[in-house]
Amino acid sequence: AAWKMRKWFRSTTHKGCRPVGFRFEVEVSTLTRAECSNMPLFVKWVRGRKKGKTAVEWEENGGVLWEDTNRFVLPVTLFFDNKTDAFESKTLLLSVERHVSNNKSILMGKAEVELTDLADENTPLVSKRIKLSLADGAFAGGILRVVVSSRCTGEGADSDEDGDDDDQAAGAKTDDEKEKGKDDERESDESDDEFAAARIKNRADDPANPPYKRRE
């Protein structure tokens, strides 16, 4: 009954639109320009009825780096409106939260990613490195960096409205994805990630003692 209701709702809400399935992979990278000393932080994501979060990490050298449990995959159905010759808007909500306890956190800032900006039926892989300016909360004006990739899976494919997705962790990247990621890195501002650049240098100097790790 619930499935039939969702199908009916979709047919009435998206009348005249063509459903197209996409597979989005999101990687949470860094948080900068936020006063977050000695704060345990994680990023929560919500898309439709799906939600999840990264691991908890701590501020180091003026920023936060996420390396563990920081990637997730979303199957999403976008609807192409033939009248406007464009996809209808669909967003992914990301919020930076301060960890208090297992069941409690405090919202420090949030931002949205417009998924249709990365939707292309004719390109095998679309990948972008995105700088999100946080709104609301104590971190308003802070910069959250994410990498979002998308692949078209065909008309009427996977939907974020139909049940939960078991594929929360992305697999190994293909060679094409790795090369695309390198290109995105080269195209970014020189000043875009001084914090991450310092982290890479430190990691190379002492790989056995990474500078960004959770404090005990």
Side-chain angles (χ1 to χ4, degrees):
W3 177 84
K4 291 182 178 179
M5 179 62 71
R6 287 196 298 270
K7 187 175 181 180
W8 172 84
F9 179 77
R10 174 181 295 180
S11 66
T12 55
T13 304
H14 305 288
K15 188 176 181 180
C17 294
R18 175 169 56 88
V20 183
F22 285 87
R23 181 181 175 88
F24 290 90
E25 178 181 330
V26 182
E27 181 176 348
V28 178
S29 180
T30 61
L31 170 69
T32 56
R33 302 183 192 176
E35 295 295 331
C36 53
S37 298
N38 299 315
M39 290 186 188
L41 300 170
F42 65 90
V43 175
K44 178 181 177 181
W45 60 267
V46 177
R47 172 53 251 159
R49 296 189 299 117
K50 299 177 183 297
K51 60 183 179 180
K53 61 183 180 180
T54 68
V56 175
E57 294 292 348
W58 294 79
E59 175 272 340
E60 290 283 353
N61 297 339
V64 181
L65 169 73
W66 281 276
E67 290 185 305
D68 299 322
T69 320
N70 66 328
R71 297 169 61 208
F72 57 93
V73 170
L74 284 172
V76 174
T77 297
L78 299 179
F79 293 88
F80 189 85
D81 190 333
N82 294 316
K83 292 182 179 179
T84 62
D85 196 32
F87 285 107
E88 294 183 343
S89 175
K90 186 167 284 192
T91 58
L92 169 69
L93 176 63
L94 298 173
S95 60
V96 179
E97 313 255 344
R98 180 175 182 176
H99 175 78
V100 178
S101 66
N102 289 337
N103 298 313
K104 184 178 180 180
S105 62
I106 300 173
L107 175 67
M108 306 301 288
K110 62 183 180 181
E112 290 186 341
V113 176
E114 177 55 64
L115 297 177
T116 60
D117 289 344
L118 294 100
D120 190 335
E121 294 181 78
N122 301 314
T123 302
L125 172 68
V126 177
S127 183
K128 281 187 180 181
R129 185 181 183 188
I130 304 174
K131 288 168 57 177
L132 300 171
S133 180
L134 298 177
D136 301 332
F139 290 172
I143 300 297
L144 180 68
R145 294 175 177 83
V146 299
V147 178
V148 184
S149 303
S150 74
R151 290 181 182 276
C152 181
T153 56
E155 292 192 17
D158 294 328
S159 170
D160 55 326
E161 309 298 340
D162 297 335
D164 295 326
D165 177 30
D166 292 329
D167 188 7
Q168 296 295 309
K173 292 186 177 181
T174 64
D175 290 340
D176 288 342
E177 288 173 309
K178 291 177 181 178
E179 288 302 316
K180 179 62 179 175
K182 292 178 182 178
D183 291 340
D184 290 340
E185 290 287 338
R186 297 189 194 104
E187 293 171 2
S188 63
D189 291 35
E190 289 294 332
S191 60
D192 177 45
D193 229 338
E194 293 180 3
F195 152 69
R199 161 248 176 184
I200 293 171
K201 180 180 183 302
N202 291 338
R203 183 68 57 82
D205 290 343
D206 187 6
N209 185 29
Y212 302 98
K213 59 184 179 180
R214 193 177 309 172
R215 298 176 183 174
E216 300 299 333

